[in-house]
């Protein structure tokens, strides 16, 4: 195995520290501690560099808090200057080790992630089950208290096989020993995520070269094996547990490491995965419903805007889209339009009228791309400005506006000048008139097809929601 020397000087270079700072502040530029650090950026980075070169660097104590998501976890947060050091280390160390990782190690790697892992699971399940024609079994395994049990000596031995620079080893041990003695790593640190992959790469190599398991996927300490034989998976489970205990000083979680038939559904990375489809886990759905109800209370009290609620809901819907949730997403859109009507605090005073309005509205047909257009239009932006902001064609924005008019979210009189609407209305003789015929009757080149579509949408809305 090739060993790398003289890495420490490269890690401590000003160019690398500046790059590390940019990565560490990404997505958090408005935080006070980043603004303070940035105010005297050069001085702070020079001071940090001198401490590293003199080997007087000492990490600040970790700040810990409890997160229930839904499992109770203790998250430890490093000071910002320490996070810069973490990024500086990973900039050079990570590429060296990433080459040795197996393809199906999916956590904390560029081009990988939960959805890639789920795609691989689907591929493997089809192969093992011969396109769902044969029984398929899954060994779903989890390591007991993984981050709390990582042995520092074992980890340092693994790293030293690849890195021979003693100063780099000193720096890594300083980070590991911050708040932990002999074993354990803080959840929440960039280095912890990277070291977690380095540590369990030993397991990956054992599985691939000793057990020769073909269909194996690992995401941090969660891993799955797929095989047509239940007995083979039970044998592998024992061998893996022995390997972990002897070589890595950790062990499988007895209750969470089981061999399950794929047709019963496997809980993996937030989803229930079957051979032919994928569902959301009930616990995740319940958690979102609690958050959704909390947002409704805040909205009713006027503490948050509809747009803020939309951002939260859109993120959840993006997550849902990776499962078979068409009806569930439609239901959520309906609930959103029902509980968060546009301009609720300004226009709707009578509850009975509000409910009648909501009943008339065909809520589930309004997609969220259309809602974004609505928000920007209500802010007073022109169609051209909305198209530029959203990086879409103007014709797409016109289609959104016609959709909104049809569902009575906005009025055609707000979109087009009164003269134009009146002019177009006079040339529409029937609801079955096509755009080309209406355009011919108008004999006006300034009127576009998009404008005619909006007026037609207004007519459709009156017929659609006409009270009998």
């Amino acid at each position: 195995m090739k060993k790398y020397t003289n890495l420490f000087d490269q890690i401590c270079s000003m160019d690398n520290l500046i790059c590390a700072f940019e990565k560490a502040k990404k997505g958090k530029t408005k935080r006070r501690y980043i603004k303070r650090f940035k105010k005297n950026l050069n001085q702070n980075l020079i001071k940090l560099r001198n401490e590293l070169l003199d080997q007087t660097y000492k990490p600040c104590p970790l700040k810990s808090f409890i997160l229930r998501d839904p499992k109770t976890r203790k998250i430890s947060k490093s000071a910002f200057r320490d996070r810069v050091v973490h990024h500086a280390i990973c900039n050079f160390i990570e590429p060296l080790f990433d080459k040795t990782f197996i393809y199906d190690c999916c956590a904390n790697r560029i081009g990988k992630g939960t959805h890639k892992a789920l795609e691989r699971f689907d591929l493997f399940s089809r192969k093992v089950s011969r396109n769902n024609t044969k029984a398929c079994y899954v060994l779903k395994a989890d390591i007991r208290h993984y981050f709390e049990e990582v042995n520092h000596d074992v980890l340092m031995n693994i790293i030293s096989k690849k890195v021979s620079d003693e100063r780099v080893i000193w720096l890594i041990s300083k980070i590991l020993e911050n708040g932990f003695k002999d074993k354990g790593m803080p959840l929440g640190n960039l280095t912890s995520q990277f070291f977690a992959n380095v540590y369990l790469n030993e397991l990956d190599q054992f599985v691939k070269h000793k057990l020769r398991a073909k269909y194996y996927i690992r995401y941090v300490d969660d891993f799955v094996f797929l095989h047509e034989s239940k007995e083979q998976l039970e044998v592998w489970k024992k061998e893996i547990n022995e390997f972990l205990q002897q070589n890595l000083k950790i062990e499988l979680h007895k209750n969470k490491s089981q061999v399950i038939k794929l047709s019963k559904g496997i809980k993996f990375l937030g989803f229930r995965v079957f051979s032919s489809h994928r569902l959301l886990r009930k616990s995740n759905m319940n958690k979102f419903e609690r958050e959704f109800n909390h947002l409704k209370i805040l909205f009713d009290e006027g503490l948050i805007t509809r747009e803020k609620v939309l951002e939260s809901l859109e993120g959840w819907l993006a997550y849902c889209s990776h499962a078979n949730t068409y009806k569930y997403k439609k239901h959520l859109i309906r609930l959103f339009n029902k509980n968060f009507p546009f301009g609720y605090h300004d226009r709707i005073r009578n509850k009975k009228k509000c409910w009648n309005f909501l009943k008339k509205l065909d809520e589930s047909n309004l997609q969220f791309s259309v809602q974004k257009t609505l928000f920007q239009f209500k802010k007073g932006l022109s169609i051209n400005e909305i198209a530029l902001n959203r990086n879409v064609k103007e014709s797409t924005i016109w289609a959104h506006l016609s959709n909104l008019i049809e569902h009575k979210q906005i009025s055609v009189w707000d979109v087009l000048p009164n003269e134009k609407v009146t002019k177009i209305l006079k040339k529409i003789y029937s609801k079955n008139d096509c755009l080309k015929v209406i355009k011919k009757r108008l004999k006006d080149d300034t009127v576009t097809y998009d404008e005619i579509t909006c007026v037609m949408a207004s007519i459709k809305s009156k017929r659609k929601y006409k009270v009998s």
Side-chain angles (χ1 to χ4, degrees), residues 284-299:
N284 290 349
M285 291 171 70
N286 291 339
K287 183 193 169 193
F288 175 76
E289 283 175 17
R290 287 194 297 270
E291 289 178 2
F292 189 79
N293 291 333
H294 180 62
L295 290 171
K296 185 179 179 302
I297 293 166
L298 294 176
F299 178 78

Side-chain angles (χ1 to χ4, degrees), residues 62-67 73-77 186-189:
L62 298 168
K63 290 183 180 179
S64 298
F65 58 93
I66 302 298
L67 185 67
R73 297 176 185 270
K74 184 183 177 183
I75 308 297
S76 298
K77 183 180 171 184
L187 265 171
N189 275 4

Side-chain angles (χ1 to χ4, degrees), residues 345-369:
H345 299 292
D346 300 326
R347 294 190 291 111
I348 300 169
R349 302 295 178 191
N350 188 303
K351 279 192 176 181
K352 191 173 180 182
K353 284 183 181 178
C354 174
W355 281 107
N356 289 336
F357 169 78
L358 294 170
K359 283 177 185 176
K360 290 176 186 176
L361 189 62
D362 187 9
E363 308 93 344
S364 60
N365 288 337
L366 285 171
Q367 298 300 316
F368 281 89
S369 184

Side-chain angles (χ1 to χ4, degrees), residues 157-190:
N157 285 335
I158 295 168
I159 293 171
S160 59
K161 289 176 186 175
K162 198 84 175 165
V163 178
S164 59
D165 192 325
E166 290 182 2
R167 292 177 297 172
V168 175
I169 300 295
W170 164 81
L171 181 55
I172 291 171
S173 21
K174 275 285 179 188
I175 291 166
L176 285 174
E177 289 165 8
N178 187 26
F180 295 85
K181 187 179 180 182
D182 299 331
K183 65 177 183 179
M185 293 190 300
L187 265 171
N189 275 4
L190 175 71

Side-chain angles (χ1 to χ4, degrees), residues 21-223:
F21 165 75
E22 294 296 330
K23 286 184 177 181
K25 75 164 187 174
K26 195 174 180 182
K28 304 181 184 75
T29 50
K30 293 182 180 179
R31 302 282 173 88
R32 286 181 185 176
Y33 57 83
I34 291 178
K35 287 179 179 177
R36 283 198 300 268
F37 194 91
K38 193 177 179 180
K39 194 175 181 181
N40 300 306
L41 181 60
N42 286 335
Q43 292 177 16
N44 287 329
L45 290 180
I46 289 167
K47 184 182 177 183
L48 189 58
R49 182 173 183 267
N50 291 336
E51 286 180 20
L52 291 169
L53 290 172
D54 298 339
Q55 295 188 2
T56 57
Y57 167 75
K58 189 177 179 182
C60 299
L62 298 168
K63 290 183 180 179
S64 298
F65 58 93
I66 302 298
L67 185 67
R68 293 174 177 86
D69 189 26
K71 191 163 68 174
T72 302
R73 297 176 185 270
K74 184 183 177 183
I75 308 297
S76 298
K77 183 180 171 184
S78 295
F80 181 71
R81 69 192 296 272
D82 296 329
R83 280 182 253 167
V84 173
V85 175
H86 298 169
H87 278 278
I89 293 170
C90 289
N91 284 347
F92 279 94
I93 303 293
E94 193 169 0
L96 307 182
F97 282 91
D98 194 72
K99 298 173 188 176
T100 66
F101 296 161
I102 64 168
Y103 184 82
D104 291 313
C105 166
C106 296
N108 311 311
R109 295 177 69 194
I110 296 169
K112 303 289 182 180
T114 54
H115 303 309
K116 284 287 181 184
L118 289 163
E119 284 174 18
R120 292 291 284 175
F121 188 98
D122 291 340
L123 175 66
F124 289 170
S125 67
R126 288 195 298 271
K127 285 186 175 182
V128 177
S129 65
R130 303 287 191 274
N131 283 333
N132 304 325
T133 58
K134 291 182 73 176
C136 174
Y137 294 90
V138 180
L139 167 57
K140 168 70 174 67
D142 184 276
I143 294 168
R144 183 176 173 275
H145 300 156
Y146 176 54
F147 278 88
E148 296 170 22
E149 297 294 328
V150 168
N151 188 286
H152 291 181
D153 291 335
V154 174
L155 177 60
M156 294 309 296
N157 285 335
I158 295 168
I159 293 171
S160 59
K161 289 176 186 175
K162 198 84 175 165
V163 178
S164 59
D165 192 325
E166 290 182 2
R167 292 177 297 172
V168 175
I169 300 295
W170 164 81
L171 181 55
I172 291 171
S173 21
K174 275 285 179 188
I175 291 166
L176 285 174
E177 289 165 8
N178 187 26
F180 295 85
K181 187 179 180 182
D182 299 331
K183 65 177 183 179
M185 293 190 300
L187 265 171
N189 275 4
L190 175 71
T191 47
S192 297
Q193 296 169 9
F194 168 60
F195 293 148
N197 273 344
V198 172
Y199 201 76
L200 283 181
N201 184 48
E202 301 296 304
L203 170 65
D204 298 342
Q205 302 303 327
F206 172 76
V207 166
K208 287 296 181 182
H209 297 294
K210 299 291 182 183
L211 302 183
R212 296 192 175 275
K214 201 170 181 181
Y215 304 112
Y216 163 76
I217 305 164
R218 182 176 65 78
Y219 191 93
V220 195
D221 60 328
D222 286 341
F223 52 93

